[in-house]
Amino acid sequence: MSALEAIKYSRGKLEVLDQLRLPHEHHYDEVSTSEEAFDCIKAMRVRGAPAIAIVAALAASVELHNGSCTVTGTEDVIKYIDSRLDYLYESRPTAVDLGNAVRLLKKTVRGVKTEGLTDAEAKEAIIKAFVEASEEILAKDLKTNKSIGAFGAKWLQEQYKITDDSKITVMTHCNTGSLATSGHGTALGIIRTLRDEGLLRHAYCTETRPYNQGSRLTAFELVHEGIPATLVTDSMAAALFRLRKAEENIAAVIVGADRVVRNGDTANKIGTYQLAVLAKHHGIKFMVAAPTTSIDVDTETGDDIEIEQRKREELTQISGAVVNADGSIDTSKSVRVAIADQRIGVWNPGFDVTPHEYIDAIVTEKGTVVKGEDGKFHFEDLMPERFHPTSNLLLLWGTSLLSHTSAFVIDNNNHYQQQPLIVDDASISPLQISTSSAANDGPSYRKNLLSLHKSLIEIPSISRTEQEVGKFLLDYLRNNLGYVAKAQFLESDKTSHGSDGDDHSQGRFNVLAWPSSHNLSSPRVLVTSHIDVVPPFIPYHINTPEGSDQVTSDTFISGRGSVDAKASVAAQIVAVEELIRAKEVDPADLMLLFVVGEEISGDGMKTFSAAYNDQDADKNNNNNNNNKKELPRLHFNAAIYGEPTENKLSCGHKGHAGGLLKAQGIAGHSGYPWLFKSATEVLVKALAKIISADLGSSERYGNTTVNIGTIAGGVAANVIPKEAQAKLAIRVAAGNQTTGADIVREAVEKILKETDAEAFTMEWNGGYGPVECNCDVDGFETMVASYGTDVPNFEGDHVSYLYGPGSILVAHGDDEGLKVGDLETAVEGYKTLIKHALAA
């Protein structure tokens, strides 16, 4: 019997099998837009890393073919396509195949030759190239799967010398067949090939809780194709291996992979790890079947793989078609059943990581890889192009949206030095930094600076979702600059959720780095900035003249984070590297720190500060898996913070206080206000007094100011509201860092008591007074900032400097941006500050 089709496609039309209705119904959803594809992937109506990538690519292809792109002009068309691909990527960022497809398609549209074409012709050529590339992803996946099946069956034949009298039995987990791919499958594809070649005796499939992909999908595929098979629960594997291994000649466990990293550690559906451990104990081969596109050579070990946390309801509830009394299935009726106390806490990771030592073979479309003498997998011979790049324009298949590498050159003293080799990955932006004379009016590091700045902006990193930009920085600092770079994980914040309800705090980390030419012992200066930004994501754009890619110091760059604070991050990295290159500083004196969470709570810097001030206890540096990361013993003389100060040196900034102000009234009919108490009325009266009151001032910082961020309360216009509340953010100008917040709190509490002694409750969220920074450095204009920073979150006896490119006045707006010259001035400014701090 022919294999199932999860995806039906013809140019301009895409149909996707709704796998949530299996095994009882065959229903295809027509997917004609990126929004429909996003929903299809997110809801798991389609699943499996290859199928997810194919559906995303083909959905974008269909909507483009059918005229969704209404803009013209090469740059605008590419920007539109980027926005569609970026949106689709967020549907399942864990699956590396999806990221690979996005990067490939971005690279494809940028490679279209549009010179001499009209805008309409250029648009048509770009869309045609996109459609053809999407269709090639589909065709290539089917060819890949059949190759994996052949190589896997061959390897098992070599291991067991299978004959008609010694056919083997295998087990598989989750679903890796036609429903997870374009057809044939990966792990299930090997099982199909074993059957086709007369080598298979029997197949066992696990139920694969909590989403039951094994019982709903794999079991259905096996039955559909007449492969002899048995379903077991996940917890039966150990007993099965012990009791039936010899009797049924159980030879292998074959699984798929969402991601295989450089050393062979593999991320796959939750439950894979335990099967690997059991297989090793019972002497059963454990095989991973994965296309080379799922191999991520830029991630060293499985410890760096982000694990998706799924919804709690997947463990506590289950749904399905109704079974009638006679055993028939009524697909017209579906029920959802609670299978656990709905109040129970739930831990529901979608994946686990199997260490490479438990894996015997990794089967790809290019061949089967086994461990070397060092006990690790090596993919160099299989994929030499990823280990030995031959050009500066590469498509690297990894977790980063932009990858870099390094080259070694010999200096005049015949010493080897590591030099950065910039990779201008065309999958990121249409900009190719020009090397024409018009672009060379700036410093020699301009191309490096702009490439790094562009890369940082292109990676969305709104607070609590900073992992991808963190991974990029780790990769860039290690592989481009040759630094030692480490992730400092934050403890889980279970109350922090993104807008989609998922817990984004899992796996968040700061990036610590220092030049690898020395062992970090006692750096004197910390150079730091934050990598999170405020919503919404705004793509990168550089305002070069139409028809030209030339860049000058007046060229304007925009995008979310272009100012606050990725401009500082890029300028700081380049400044440190330039000083080291010119031998103006001792590399051992410097350390870089890039933190998360500055825009919301400062939790990244607070984590670093806690570890810095308690370096004998590594409890502050535990990640969510309790893997301890020691922070080297440190003591800084100075810290240089990056924030938008218009390249002026800030003498400090106002403090901060605020929180939630709640008002309590008495509900009643609006026709009789004198008989009841309006919570909103007393709230408004109090707020009016607070914003007009003198809450403290100083000569340096001016007046304390109040922002009423939100107001809420009441149930209807004709009901006197019982409750109301407002969120306040107060910029404190009074007192000093220790006393300022208390001064403001006392003043506000007094106003509330005078307004209504019983109505108010103020929930303060901490706070601090004005923060002083050192601004006594020659060559800088000075200023005072009215916004908060991470300076007070890093406790210690060091001197603080606050400086960076761009204006805070545009930093959180739709027009956030700055000139190339501002970035370059910042590099020179940071160089001056670093040398001044070291000389102090």
Side-chain angles (χ1 to χ4, degrees):
M1 187 177 292
S2 62
L4 294 166
E5 285 186 282
I7 300 165
K8 292 183 177 181
Y9 171 80
S10 59
R11 185 165 293 188
K13 184 176 182 179
L14 172 65
E15 292 179 288
V16 179
L17 182 64
D18 184 349
Q19 297 183 29
L20 296 180
R21 300 193 186 191
L22 292 175
H24 312 299
E25 288 184 272
H26 271 72
H27 175 82
Y28 285 88
D29 294 325
E30 185 166 345
V31 176
S32 57
T33 67
S34 292
E35 285 76 16
E36 291 173 350
F38 186 104
D39 182 66
C40 189
I41 295 168
K42 193 72 173 177
M44 296 189 72
R45 293 197 298 276
V46 64
R47 20 75 49 220
I52 287 169
I54 292 166
V55 167
L58 292 178
S61 169
V62 167
E63 69 177 0
L64 285 170
H65 177 79
N66 292 336
S68 69
C69 180
T70 58
V71 299
T72 57
T74 298
E75 186 172 336
D76 287 338
V77 171
I78 291 176
K79 185 185 295 186
Y80 173 81
I81 291 174
D82 280 355
S83 69
R84 298 279 78 191
L85 292 173
D86 290 340
Y87 169 74
L88 285 163
Y89 174 75
E90 292 302 319
S91 65
R92 185 63 65 83
T94 311
V96 71
D97 292 64
L98 178 56
N100 294 338
V102 167
R103 284 184 285 276
L104 175 63
L105 292 169
K106 286 187 175 184
K107 178 182 175 68
T108 296
V109 297
R110 285 165 173 79
V112 177
K113 302 298 183 183
T114 58
E115 294 82 358
L117 301 180
T118 65
D119 283 350
E121 291 170 339
K123 176 179 177 179
E124 182 180 356
I126 291 169
I127 291 175
K128 182 175 183 290
F130 184 99
V131 171
E132 291 174 349
S134 299
E135 294 170 346
E136 178 60 24
I137 292 174
L138 174 65
K140 184 178 179 181
D141 184 68
L142 181 57
K143 182 179 179 181
T144 292
N145 294 340
K146 290 185 176 180
S147 294
I148 289 173
F151 280 119
K154 179 182 178 183
W155 187 79
L156 284 169
Q157 173 69 289
E158 292 170 350
Q159 302 303 304
Y160 293 103
K161 309 301 181 186
I162 307 169
T163 66
D164 286 341
D165 296 328
S166 62
K167 294 181 181 181
I168 63 173
T169 294
V170 299
M171 173 179 280
T172 191
H173 185 62
C174 197
N175 177 257
T176 56
S178 297
L179 298 175
T181 64
S182 60
H184 197 68
T186 53
L188 197 52
I190 295 176
I191 294 174
R192 281 193 173 93
T193 303
L194 288 170
R195 186 274 309 271
D196 293 344
E197 295 182 0
L199 306 175
L200 181 71
R201 174 177 179 172
H202 201 82
Y204 282 93
C205 60
T206 60
E207 185 183 28
T208 321
R209 280 286 291 152
Y211 222 68
N212 297 329
Q213 293 97 324
S215 59
R216 288 190 300 107
L217 306 177
T218 301
F220 178 66
E221 287 199 59
L222 292 168
V223 171
H224 180 82
E225 296 190 38
I227 297 174
T230 300
L231 172 69
V232 296
T233 69
D234 299 11
S235 57
M236 292 177 183
L240 177 70
F241 294 164
R242 180 173 178 269
L243 298 175
R244 295 193 176 184
K245 176 190 173 186
E247 175 187 342
E248 300 195 25
N249 196 20
I250 300 176
V253 176
I254 311 174
V255 300
D258 281 87
R259 177 170 293 170
V260 179
V261 298
R262 194 181 188 98
N263 71 345
D265 292 353
T266 296
N268 193 48
K269 180 56 58 182
I270 190 72
T272 302
Y273 176 34
Q274 65 191 22
L275 287 176
V277 173
L278 290 171
K280 190 174 186 68
H281 177 77
H282 289 279
I284 295 170
K285 299 296 184 185
F286 191 87
M287 302 171 63
V288 172
T292 53
T293 53
S294 294
I295 299 176
D296 172 11
V297 300
D298 296 326
T299 300
E300 294 291 337
T301 72
D303 292 338
D304 295 323
I305 298 175
E306 178 186 351
I307 303 298
E308 176 187 1
Q309 290 292 318
R310 299 288 303 171
K311 294 180 179 179
R312 57 179 285 114
E313 289 77 14
E314 291 180 1
L315 261 66
T316 64
Q317 301 173 15
I318 195 166
S319 62
V322 172
V323 181
N324 295 320
D326 61 359
S328 61
I329 306 297
D330 186 350
T331 58
S332 67
K333 299 177 183 178
S334 178
V335 294
R336 189 157 190 83
V337 179
I339 57 174
D341 191 313
Q342 299 299 292
R343 300 167 297 178
I344 187 68
V346 169
W347 182 65
N348 184 21
F351 306 86
D352 58 26
V353 175
T354 300
H356 62 276
E357 54 262 34
Y358 292 98
I359 300 172
D360 293 294
I362 297 174
V363 185
T364 78
E365 78 279 12
K366 295 183 179 181
T368 300
V369 184
V370 296
K371 290 190 282 265
E373 294 181 358
D374 61 355
K376 297 181 180 180
F377 288 92
H378 297 277
F379 302 106
E380 292 89 335
D381 293 337
L382 196 72
M383 303 177 294
E385 70 280 2
R386 299 204 214 162
F387 291 85
H388 307 289
T390 57
S391 74
N392 285 2
L393 190 60
L394 300 175
L395 180 65
L396 298 182
W397 304 78
T399 57
S400 302
L401 293 180
L402 175 66
S403 298
H404 297 262
T405 186
S406 300
F408 285 90
V409 299
I410 301 178
D411 64 15
N412 295 331
N413 297 318
N414 291 322
H415 295 144
Y416 285 98
Q417 294 182 330
Q418 194 170 36
Q419 301 284 339
L421 174 64
I422 298 300
V423 181
D424 286 329
D425 189 342
S427 70
I428 298 301
S429 160
L431 173 66
Q432 298 293 317
I433 305 299
S434 173
T435 56
S436 65
S437 59
N440 289 332
D441 64 339
S444 59
Y445 54 74
R446 170 175 285 176
K447 184 176 181 180
N448 190 353
L449 173 65
L450 296 189
S451 178
L452 175 57
H453 185 234
K454 171 168 66 81
S455 303
L456 292 167
I457 298 169
E458 286 285 350
I459 305 173
S461 58
I462 292 168
S463 300
R464 296 195 180 99
T465 58
E466 310 99 336
Q467 291 94 328
E468 289 304 318
V469 76
K471 291 174 185 177
F472 165 77
L473 279 171
L474 289 172
D475 177 68
Y476 182 89
L477 292 162
R478 289 168 181 165
N479 298 326
N480 197 321
L481 302 183
Y483 287 18
V484 176
K486 295 183 179 294
Q488 180 191 38
F489 287 86
L490 279 62
E491 292 189 7
S492 174
D493 175 7
K494 294 298 184 184
T495 64
S496 301
H497 296 272
S499 59
D500 56 3
D502 292 333
D503 186 350
H504 292 306
S505 65
Q506 300 289 337
R508 295 174 61 224
F509 57 88
N510 299 326
V511 174
L512 289 68
W514 57 91
S516 60
S517 56
H518 67 94
N519 293 322
L520 187 67
S521 55
S522 56
R524 297 163 57 198
V525 174
L526 177 71
V527 182
T528 181
S529 188
H530 63 92
I531 54 176
D532 65 317
V533 301
V534 299
F537 174 69
I538 301 174
Y540 178 92
H541 179 71
I542 187 164
N543 191 28
T544 52
E546 187 173 353
S548 170
D549 59 4
Q550 294 181 350
V551 177
T552 71
S553 59
D554 288 327
T555 300
F556 192 79
I557 299 171
S558 60
R560 178 59 76 225
S562 57
V563 172
D564 189 16
K566 292 175 178 179
S568 293
V569 175
Q572 287 176 341
I573 291 173
V574 172
V576 167
E577 185 62 14
E578 287 296 305
L579 288 173
I580 293 173
R581 191 192 306 276
K583 300 181 180 180
E584 296 185 61
V585 298
D586 182 348
D589 286 334
L590 301 178
M591 179 175 168
L592 291 164
L593 169 67
F594 302 113
V595 299
V596 300
E598 189 273 345
E599 294 287 2
I600 50 171
S601 63
D603 53 357
M605 184 61 79
K606 289 173 183 176
T607 294
F608 177 80
S609 178
Y612 173 82
N613 288 290
D614 190 16
Q615 293 175 56
D616 290 329
D618 57 5
K619 63 184 179 181
N620 295 305
N621 298 307
N622 295 353
N623 68 10
N624 295 331
N625 297 318
N626 295 320
N627 295 322
K628 296 181 178 180
K629 309 274 187 183
E630 280 194 27
L631 180 68
R633 190 171 298 279
L634 307 169
H635 182 78
F636 298 110
N637 297 332
I640 299 172
Y641 299 82
E643 288 284 358
T645 67
E646 301 176 12
N647 284 327
K648 299 175 183 178
L649 192 56
S650 178
C651 297
H653 62 78
K654 287 183 177 180
H656 185 273
L660 181 65
L661 175 58
K662 295 182 177 180
Q664 188 75 22
I666 302 173
H669 195 286
S670 60
Y672 304 91
W674 59 88
L675 297 178
F676 306 98
K677 180 190 284 189
S678 168
T680 55
E681 181 179 333
V682 294
L683 178 68
V684 170
K685 287 179 179 178
L687 291 175
K689 293 179 180 179
I690 291 171
I691 62 176
S692 61
D694 181 0
L695 300 179
S697 61
S698 63
E699 183 176 350
R700 169 176 282 189
Y701 299 103
N703 295 322
T704 296
T705 60
V706 180
N707 181 63
I708 305 169
T710 65
I711 299 177
V715 294
N718 62 343
V719 178
I720 294 175
K722 180 180 179 180
E723 296 175 338
Q725 62 183 32
K727 290 182 180 179
L728 307 181
I730 305 173
R731 304 296 178 176
V732 181
N736 55 37
Q737 185 172 334
T738 303
T739 64
D742 289 336
I743 293 172
V744 168
R745 282 194 287 260
E746 290 174 7
V748 170
E749 295 284 0
K750 182 179 179 182
I751 291 171
L752 296 177
K753 188 174 182 179
E754 291 173 350
T755 304
D756 190 311
E758 299 177 350
F760 297 105
T761 301
M762 183 67 192
E763 298 176 358
W764 297 98
N765 57 7
Y768 55 88
V771 176
E772 292 192 8
C773 297
N774 190 311
C775 59
D776 186 17
V777 183
D778 292 339
F780 288 92
E781 291 185 58
T782 61
M783 54 89 76
V784 175
S786 293
Y787 52 86
T789 74
D790 261 332
V791 174
N793 293 328
F794 181 22
E795 299 178 4
D797 58 359
H798 52 273
V799 176
S800 298
Y801 300 89
L802 183 61
Y803 172 83
S807 169
I808 194 66
L809 299 181
V810 301
H812 291 187
D814 295 340
D815 300 320
E816 181 173 353
L818 77 175
K819 292 181 179 180
V820 169
D822 297 332
L823 273 175
E824 294 167 348
T825 299
V827 172
E828 300 304 318
Y830 283 124
K831 288 166 62 177
T832 299
L833 286 175
I834 291 169
K835 290 189 290 185
H836 175 86
L838 290 172

